C-alpha cells in the first residue's frame, strides 16, 4: 500500500452476520455478511485490503485513470470505501464474485477524498485459494473485469490492459537480461511479474511467505518518496501477504521492523461475536501471532457518497 502520508491503518476482524449499508444515500445497497474476515482499514473510513474465512483476498489500489458512471438511482449504490468489504462479506471464490458483478445489479460510486483534494480513483483485485484472480476497473464509466489465473500482479497506473502490454515487451527482453528499475508503477509491474514467476514453488508456508514478501519489498517505493503530480507514486506504507489456504494474514509496516500475523482459524467469526481491532495507527509493535492482542471495538463507518 503506497500513500504520501500515513493512512492511520488498523487491523480488524469482522464476524459473520454483520448488517452493512452501501452508504450512498437513497437506494444504498444493503447486505448481511456471509463470511467473517480480517481487513486493514485506512483512516477508519475504508477497508483497503483483507481476506475472508474462505480464503478470498481483496486489495484496493489507486488508479488515476478510473472514471465511474454517473449515479443511477434505479440501482442500489455501494460506496467505493466498502468495495473490498462487500467482496469479502459475500463471496468465497473469484468465480462467484465475477459472475455476480457481471449481472450489473448494483453500482459502485466514488466521491472526493476526505481532504477534498481529488476524486478517490481506485481499482480492485481479488484472488482465492484455487489461484484464480480478477481485476476490476471502471474505465470511461464502465466496469472492466480482467479474469484469469495468469493475472498474478496488479500495481497502479496505467490501466490493466496497458500493464499487460508493457509486460509483454519486458518479457521479450527477458528478466535475467534487464528489468526496469524505477519506482513507476509500470516498471514495478514488470519486476513483480518476473520475480513472482521465478521464485520457488513450494508447499512450505514459511518459504512461500518469505519469497512473496521479498518480491513485494523489491517493488516497494522507498519511505519518504512521493510525487505530488502522480499520487500513484508514493511511499510504501505497509505490506501484506495473505495465505489463502492456511487462512493466515501477514502484515508488515514500513515504520516498524516486525512482521506479524493473524490466523482466521484462531478467531471467533460466529454471528454475534464481537468486532475485534488490532491497533497499529499509533506505532504499536507486535511480533508473531497476534490473535490474543485484538481488542473488542466498535466497527468503523464507511465513508459515504453524496447522492
Amino acid at each position: 500500500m503506497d500513500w504520501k502520508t500515513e493512512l492511520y491503518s488498523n487491523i480488524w476482524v469482522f464476524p459473520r452476520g454483520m448488517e452493512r449499508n452501501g452508504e450512498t444515500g437513497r437506494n444504498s445497497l444493503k447486505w448481511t455478511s456471509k463470511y467473517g474476515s480480517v481487513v486493514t482499514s485506512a483512516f477508519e473510513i475504508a477497508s483497503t485490503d483483507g481476506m475472508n474465512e474462505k480464503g478470498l483476498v481483496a486489495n484496493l489500489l489507486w488508479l488515476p485513470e478510473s472514471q465511474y458512471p454517473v449515479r443511477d438511482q434505479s440501482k442500489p449504490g455501494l460506496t467505493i470505501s466498502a468495495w473490498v468489504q462487500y467482496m469479502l462479506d459475500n463471496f468465497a471464490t473469484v468465480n462467484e464474485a465475477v459472475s455476480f458483478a457481471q449481472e450489473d445489479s448494483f453500482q459502485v460510486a466514488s466521491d472526493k477524498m476526505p481532504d477534498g483534494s481529488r476524486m478517490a480513483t481506485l481499482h480492485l483485485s481479488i484472488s482465492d485459494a484455487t489461484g484464480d484472480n480478477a481485476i476490476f476497473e471502471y474505465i470511461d464509466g464502465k466496469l472492466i473485469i480482467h479474469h484469469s489465473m495468469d493475472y498474478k500482479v496488479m500495481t497502479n497506473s496505467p490501466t490493466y490492459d496497458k500493464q499487460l502490454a508493457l509486460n509483454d515487451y519486458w518479457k521479450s527482453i527477458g528478466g535475467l537480461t534487464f528489468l526496469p528499475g524505477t519506482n513507476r508503477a509500470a516498471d514495478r509491474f514488470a519486476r513483480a511479474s518476473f520475480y513472482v514467476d521465478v521464485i520457488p514453488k513450494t508447499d512450505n508456508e514459511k518459504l512461500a511467505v518469505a519469497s512473496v514478501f521479498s518480491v513485494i519489498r523489491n517493488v516497494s517505493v522507498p519511505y519518504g518518496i512521493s510525487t505530488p503530480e502522480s499520487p500513484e507514486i508514493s511511499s510504501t506504507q505497509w505490506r501484506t501477504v495473505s495465505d489463502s489456504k492456511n487462512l493466515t494474514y501477514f502484515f508488515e509496516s514500513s515504520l516498524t521492523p516486525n512482521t506479524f500475523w493473524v490466523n482466521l482459524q484462531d478467531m471467533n467469526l460466529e454471528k454475534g461475536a464481537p468486532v475485534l481491532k488490532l491497533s497499529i495507527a499509533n506505532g504499536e509493535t507486535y511480533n508473531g501471532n497476534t490473535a490474543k492482542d485484538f481488542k473488542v471495538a466498535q466497527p468503523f463507518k464507511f465513508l459515504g457518497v453524496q447522492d
Side-chain angles (χ1 to χ4, degrees):
M1 174 57 72
D2 302 340
W3 203 255
K4 66 179 181 179
T5 62
E6 286 190 44
L7 288 158
Y8 302 101
S9 294
N10 290 303
I11 301 175
W12 298 78
V13 170
F14 294 128
R16 306 173 206 120
M18 292 189 67
E19 299 295 328
R20 305 283 199 185
N21 186 307
E23 302 294 347
T24 57
R26 292 173 295 162
N27 200 15
S28 291
L29 187 65
K30 293 180 173 60
W31 72 96
T32 302
S33 60
K34 295 179 184 176
Y35 306 113
S37 61
V38 55
V39 303
T40 301
S41 63
F43 303 110
E44 303 296 56
I45 59 169
S47 295
T48 62
D49 184 275
M51 177 175 60
N52 71 17
E53 61 182 296
K54 296 297 183 180
L56 186 80
V57 178
N59 323 97
L60 203 61
L61 289 178
W62 195 263
L63 180 67
E65 293 88 350
S66 299
Q67 288 183 302
Y68 304 96
V70 176
R71 181 77 180 98
D72 179 356
Q73 292 293 345
S74 69
K75 290 183 178 180
L78 174 67
T79 175
I80 198 166
S81 65
W83 201 8
V84 160
Q85 197 63 56
Y86 183 77
M87 292 291 185
L88 298 178
D89 284 352
N90 288 287
F91 305 110
T93 66
V94 170
N95 260 330
E96 281 183 21
V98 169
S99 297
F100 185 79
Q102 288 172 335
E103 295 176 7
D104 195 28
S105 61
F106 70 95
Q107 188 179 52
V108 173
S110 187
D111 208 340
K112 293 277 189 179
M113 295 294 296
D115 62 4
S117 60
R118 55 186 183 272
M119 284 290 290
T121 51
L122 305 161
H123 58 169
L124 174 77
S125 69
I126 59 174
S127 60
D128 64 26
T130 72
D132 201 8
N133 311 285
I135 295 91
F136 299 77
E137 298 180 338
Y138 279 91
I139 309 299
D140 296 325
K142 295 182 179 179
L143 177 61
I144 307 298
I145 303 174
H146 301 271
H147 180 197
S148 172
M149 285 195 173
D150 294 331
Y151 299 156
K152 292 176 280 190
V153 174
M154 183 183 85
T155 57
N156 308 105
S157 182
T159 56
Y160 203 72
D161 57 337
K162 292 179 180 177
Q163 288 189 3
L164 293 174
L166 288 166
N167 195 50
D168 284 342
Y169 166 75
W170 288 110
K171 280 183 178 179
S172 69
I173 293 175
L176 292 176
T177 303
F178 181 74
L179 281 171
T182 78
N183 60 4
R184 293 172 62 249
D187 288 358
R188 291 186 286 143
F189 185 98
R191 293 205 304 280
S193 295
F194 172 74
Y195 286 124
V196 81
D197 279 338
V198 298
I199 56 176
K201 305 300 183 289
T202 175
D203 59 3
N204 182 309
E205 181 187 17
K206 185 176 181 180
L207 293 179
V209 170
S211 295
V212 174
F213 258 124
S214 67
V215 173
I216 300 173
R217 292 179 188 123
N218 182 278
V219 297
S220 295
V221 179
Y223 200 83
I225 291 178
S226 65
T227 308
E229 65 274 15
S230 300
E232 73 277 10
I233 304 178
S234 298
S235 299
T236 296
Q237 299 291 332
W238 44 258
R239 292 167 282 267
T240 64
V241 170
S242 298
D243 181 344
S244 293
K245 293 182 178 178
N246 296 299
L247 298 181
T248 307
Y249 185 74
F250 297 86
F251 187 95
E252 177 181 83
S253 169
S254 296
L255 292 176
T256 58
N258 296 338
T259 299
F260 57 87
W261 59 88
V262 57
N263 190 305
L264 281 174
Q265 296 174 96
D266 294 335
M267 314 305 286
N268 183 2
L269 303 178
E270 295 291 335
K271 180 179 179 180
V275 170
L276 298 175
K277 174 182 175 181
L278 185 72
S279 179
I280 57 175
N282 300 309
E284 296 91 341
T285 58
Y286 304 95
N287 184 49
N289 189 336
T290 57
K292 65 183 183 305
D293 298 310
F294 279 78
K295 307 296 184 187
V296 174
Q298 288 296 312
F300 61 86
K301 182 178 179 180
F302 296 104
L303 180 67
V305 174
Q306 298 298 316
D307 61 8

